[in-house]
Amino acid sequence: MHELSMADAIVKTVIESAEKNDAIEVLEVTVELGQMTMLNPEQIKFMLDVLSEDTILEGAKFHMEEIPIEIKCESCEFEGKIEFEGIDYYSPIVKCPKCEGREISITSGRECNVKNIKIEQREEDAQDS
């Protein structure tokens, strides 16, 4: 279950960033999840809630943004998004929707990024910024 290790890394990243910015609380976190990561957004969100207990993240709202798979086909030069429906989570085989070739480059959809963190700072810290 790689969702647990990814959720743990996200929590650590957010806490580190929040502490560097003198946060007293994290209010919201937006995470980008590429479809090719094979991460289940609902499982990630659940684990983020569990792992954030007793931290400055506790009670934060987690938003998941799914990044679609985009490819470039070496055979027919197709560039664009592909349908994710029907791709096997255990053995994803991506092929060109135009020529069904498998000589492709994945240009988007592998990301797992913390996109945005909304924090609350101490009154005096917020005024000094």
Side-chain angles (χ1 to χ4, degrees), residues 68-82:
I69 301 170
E70 293 186 27
I71 65 160
K72 178 177 182 196
C73 180
E74 305 301 327
S75 300
C76 73
E77 301 297 317
F78 170 84
E79 290 187 49
K81 296 179 185 175
I82 64 166

Side-chain angles (χ1 to χ4, degrees), residues 22-50:
D22 299 319
I24 57 171
E25 182 181 11
V26 176
L27 305 172
E28 293 181 27
V29 178
T30 303
V31 178
E32 295 177 319
L33 292 175
Q35 289 180 323
M36 278 300 292
T37 64
M38 301 298 150
L39 294 167
N40 181 314
E42 295 305 314
Q43 288 180 354
I44 290 284
K45 191 172 181 179
F46 172 77
M47 289 179 192
L48 289 171
D49 286 332
V50 170

Side-chain angles (χ1 to χ4, degrees), residues 10-28:
I10 291 168
V11 166
K12 288 176 180 172
T13 299
V14 171
I15 289 173
E16 181 181 319
S17 179
E19 287 174 348
K20 283 181 182 177
N21 289 285
D22 299 319
I24 57 171
E25 182 181 11
V26 176
L27 305 172
E28 293 181 27

Side-chain angles (χ1 to χ4, degrees), residues 55-74:
T55 71
I56 61 173
L57 268 171
E58 187 168 14
K61 291 184 176 157
F62 294 99
H63 306 284
M64 303 292 132
E65 292 183 1
E66 194 168 63
I67 306 298
I69 301 170
E70 293 186 27
I71 65 160
K72 178 177 182 196
C73 180
E74 305 301 327

